[in-house]
Amino acid sequence: MHRVDRSEIKCKGSGRGNLEMGLKALGASKMEKLNSSVMVPGSRSRMKLWIIRATTTMLLWTCAVQLTALGETWGPRVLKGWPSCLSQESAVLADKISAVPARVLPPKRIYRNNGYLMVSCNGGLNQMRAAICDMVAIARYLNVTLIVPELDKTSFWNDPSEFQDIFDVDHFITSLRDEVRILKDLPSRLKKKIEQGRVYTMPPISWSDISYYHNQILPLIQKYKVLHLNRTDARLSNNGQPLDLQKLRCRVNFNALRFTPQIEDMGRRAIKLLRQNGSFLVLHLRYEMDMLAFSGCTQGCSPEEAEELTRMRYAYPWWKEKIIDSDLKRKEGLCPLTPEETTLILKALGIDQNIQIYIAAGEIYGGERRMGALAKSYPRLVRKETLLQPSDLRFFRNHSSQMAALDYLVSLESDIFIPTYDGNMAKVVEGHRRSLGFKKTILLDRKLLVELIDQYNSGILSWDQFSSAVKISHANRMGSSSKRLVIPDRPKEEDYFYANPYECLQSSDNGLISST
């Protein structure tokens, strides 16, 4: 490299002209090297400073734009006045969203997992509902992980609905996370084992207390890692359980088992339509073909109809009782009231003939012929099929459990609820209405009523005598507070826990909540 120092340049002359002549003599390439060596130290620092400033400015501007957009939806009020590309409608929607309080989930319960419990529920909607409550309580007290229950698809109703088609499965899981771990599916390593058919399956013993599950079921879960209970109805006893277990059964039933948003919305729509026309009574008229065939009750049926019902009963092998004396069973109070008998009882109780009556039931056996007396005396009869538009129900048709869920919601909100048979829906709705403040539920004493009806029809009792006897006998059967009947060694004859969960209905002073 040709080095040029200040003394060399200076000797060629003084002033600006001499300097330029000296630079020209070095040639163009030498001049570039000279400029680099003389000018870089100062200009490089200025260039770095300029680049840093430009980059910082661009970053700040980008952040400001992003914060402006976010400020319209989630940001603090100070950003609300900044320009934004969001429309006014979007801003209003954002305000509504921000006004909704965040859902606070209960903390997860931490426990050592003893294994996995799979359950297959059997029966109709409310039979399965009670079973699910029992299985959650059992899983909690065994410290196992519960897999979301499988619903019955092979019963008389043949409903293909899955759990998530009827119940809000995410709410079910998260609302109980402080009690028990619930998963939608088994972990993959165990799922493969199940798919290969390597799973221990059994039905638990009916009406067992929690000690049975600790002593007999838990060791099986620990041994096999996964246990499948293939029948779950009435598997946990009504009485003699720890108070916390009983309250957990109620929590599942009244809070965790929420229907899907679609079912809830349709239920609210039906209730609103009913309320627009005043008070309404829900009549759970359990006079469908399956109920009559199962019970063997043929009161008021023609010989041909009685034969049809008998053939149906024999067609289902799990309906074990085949030979049934219908008249004897009716006198024992074990048959659902007929539509004609129900009409007499409603009139005897003094039910206003102008009240709306919502029929919570499937298709009534005998159709309009059997409903004639009731429709004549109470002309404001409605059903979900007549109250709602066909388009409203198109997604629910051919899904009996989802249709029953609509009836359940309407039944909870009715001014009066009257079941004509103490089946699973009648019992579970009765208990749920008790939890809502002992809403008026008329519990019919069928054994007494059929005796009174026969006496009235034969002329032994006048109408006034008949009506007076019905009212007096049911004065204390309106769903008021009471304790369950306990019958040691005969659990099937006891009062059902889900019909009267009085342990869950106590006030702070340990007394029962007063009737409203």
Side-chain angles (χ1 to χ4, degrees):
M1 176 182 288
H2 181 76
R3 184 177 297 278
V4 180
D5 57 22
R6 293 181 183 275
S7 61
E8 183 179 351
I9 295 174
K10 188 175 182 181
C11 73
K12 292 184 183 290
S14 60
R16 183 175 180 181
N18 292 334
L19 179 61
E20 291 176 354
M21 290 175 62
L23 292 172
K24 288 178 181 180
L26 294 174
S29 62
K30 303 297 183 182
M31 184 180 70
E32 290 176 3
K33 292 181 179 181
L34 178 63
N35 287 339
S36 298
S37 63
V38 174
M39 298 177 63
V40 159
S43 63
R44 179 175 294 173
S45 298
R46 288 192 296 272
M47 180 65 72
K48 287 182 178 179
L49 181 61
W50 185 86
I51 292 173
I52 291 171
R53 286 176 177 174
T55 303
T56 303
T57 301
M58 291 178 66
L59 288 173
L60 289 173
W61 175 250
T62 301
C63 291
V65 171
Q66 294 295 328
L67 287 171
T68 301
L70 289 172
E72 288 293 334
T73 306
W74 305 107
R77 291 184 179 276
V78 70
L79 297 177
K80 294 294 184 181
W82 289 25
S84 171
C85 60
L86 287 178
S87 66
Q88 184 66 28
E89 291 79 6
S90 298
V92 172
L93 178 60
D95 287 340
K96 290 182 179 179
I97 294 174
S98 61
V100 176
R103 182 185 174 194
V104 178
L105 298 177
K108 286 185 178 180
R109 176 171 168 261
I110 306 301
Y111 60 92
R112 180 179 178 181
N113 183 34
N114 287 320
Y116 297 84
L117 180 62
M118 300 175 64
V119 297
S120 294
C121 301
N122 56 296
L125 173 65
N126 292 286
Q127 184 172 319
M128 293 191 292
R129 184 186 185 102
I132 292 167
C133 299
D134 286 353
M135 293 300 113
V136 169
I138 290 167
R140 160 65 176 83
Y141 279 84
L142 299 186
N143 285 333
V144 299
T145 297
L146 177 68
I147 306 304
V148 169
E150 178 188 20
L151 302 188
D152 193 343
K153 302 177 184 63
T154 61
S155 66
F156 168 82
W157 300 277
N158 197 29
D159 188 337
S161 298
E162 302 286 354
F163 186 99
Q164 63 270 17
D165 297 323
I166 299 173
F167 300 108
D168 186 334
V169 65
D170 293 323
H171 174 75
F172 175 69
I173 292 171
T174 57
S175 65
L176 293 168
R177 69 204 299 258
D178 60 335
E179 293 284 1
V180 63
R181 184 180 180 218
I182 304 175
L183 299 179
K184 294 181 181 179
D185 289 298
L186 281 168
S188 56
R189 70 183 187 279
L190 295 174
K191 197 172 183 180
K192 291 180 181 178
K193 180 179 178 181
I194 302 304
E195 290 171 351
Q196 295 170 357
R198 295 185 294 136
V199 59
Y200 192 89
T201 300
M202 63 172 288
I205 297 174
S206 299
W207 308 112
S208 300
D209 62 26
I210 196 63
S211 64
Y212 162 78
Y213 289 92
H214 273 296
N215 299 332
Q216 303 295 324
I217 301 300
L218 181 57
L220 293 173
I221 296 176
Q222 292 172 325
K223 178 180 179 180
Y224 296 102
K225 304 304 179 185
V226 181
L227 179 67
H228 176 225
L229 300 183
N230 56 14
R231 289 183 68 87
T232 58
D233 61 318
R235 302 296 145 164
L236 194 57
S237 61
N238 295 309
N239 303 296
Q241 304 301 321
L243 181 60
D244 288 346
L245 184 148
Q246 300 289 59
K247 289 188 174 181
L248 178 56
R249 295 165 90 179
C250 291
R251 177 179 170 187
V252 181
N253 191 22
F254 304 146
N255 302 112
L257 283 179
R258 188 167 65 190
F259 293 121
T260 63
Q262 294 84 355
I263 294 175
E264 293 275 348
D265 289 345
M266 194 58 61
R268 282 192 290 268
R269 185 181 303 181
I271 293 164
K272 183 179 179 181
L273 291 171
L274 288 164
R275 286 281 176 226
Q276 288 175 351
N277 296 313
S279 301
F280 69 95
L281 177 154
V282 167
L283 182 64
H284 185 42
L285 189 61
R286 196 70 171 94
Y287 204 76
E288 301 102 333
M289 185 177 184
D290 66 292
M291 181 70 247
L292 300 178
F294 174 75
S295 65
C297 299
T298 58
Q299 177 73 14
C301 296
S302 67
E304 293 76 17
E305 289 173 333
E307 177 62 27
E308 181 182 38
L309 295 173
T310 301
R311 286 197 304 271
M312 182 179 182
R313 183 166 68 255
Y314 275 87
Y316 289 86
W318 54 89
W319 290 358
K320 296 180 181 180
E321 190 177 4
K322 302 301 181 182
I323 300 175
I324 298 175
D325 186 331
S326 177
D327 291 335
L328 178 60
K329 198 164 187 179
R330 175 178 174 269
K331 289 180 179 179
E332 292 174 349
L334 300 177
C335 287
L337 294 180
T338 67
E340 297 87 354
E341 292 171 337
T342 301
T343 304
L344 285 174
I345 298 306
L346 293 180
K347 293 170 69 175
L349 287 169
I351 300 297
D352 187 348
Q353 291 184 271
N354 291 315
I355 195 172
Q356 298 176 95
I357 295 184
Y358 177 96
I359 304 296
E363 184 178 352
I364 301 302
Y365 190 61
E368 293 183 4
R369 176 179 64 83
R370 297 304 302 272
M371 291 292 288
L374 183 61
K376 183 178 179 180
S377 297
Y378 293 91
R380 298 182 68 191
L381 293 180
V382 295
R383 305 169 59 94
K384 50 187 171 292
E385 293 85 356
T386 59
L387 186 67
L388 299 166
Q389 296 297 321
S391 58
D392 294 331
L393 295 173
R394 67 183 184 277
F395 296 115
F396 301 97
R397 292 190 182 279
N398 301 319
H399 294 83
S400 59
S401 291
Q402 295 183 46
M403 295 287 269
L406 292 177
D407 284 343
Y408 187 96
L409 290 171
V410 177
S411 297
L412 286 185
E413 293 300 319
S414 64
D415 297 285
I416 306 173
F417 176 66
I418 304 180
T420 61
Y421 186 74
D422 55 353
N424 288 292
M425 177 170 171
K427 292 175 180 177
V428 178
V429 169
E430 175 193 343
H432 206 150
R433 284 172 66 86
R434 286 176 181 269
S435 76
L436 297 174
F438 298 96
K439 302 177 84 171
K440 190 173 184 179
T441 302
I442 303 179
L443 307 172
L444 301 178
D445 184 344
R446 293 189 307 280
K447 185 175 182 179
L448 173 63
L449 289 177
V450 295
E451 181 181 352
L452 294 174
I453 289 171
D454 289 345
Q455 290 177 358
Y456 170 70
N457 287 333
S458 64
I460 297 175
L461 294 177
S462 66
W463 174 256
D464 289 341
Q465 290 172 322
F466 171 69
S467 178
S468 177
V470 171
K471 289 176 181 175
I472 291 172
S473 62
H474 288 77
N476 295 321
R477 297 178 63 91
M478 301 288 179
S480 58
S481 59
S482 63
K483 286 193 175 183
R484 289 191 306 276
L485 173 66
V486 178
I487 306 177
D489 302 324
R490 289 189 291 169
K492 291 183 180 180
E493 299 177 29
E494 292 180 329
D495 288 344
Y496 189 43
F497 172 80
Y498 292 101
N500 185 15
Y502 72 84
E503 298 94 329
C504 308
L505 312 178
Q506 294 177 334
S507 61
S508 58
D509 60 356
N510 295 324
L512 291 171
I513 299 173
S514 60
S515 176
T516 56

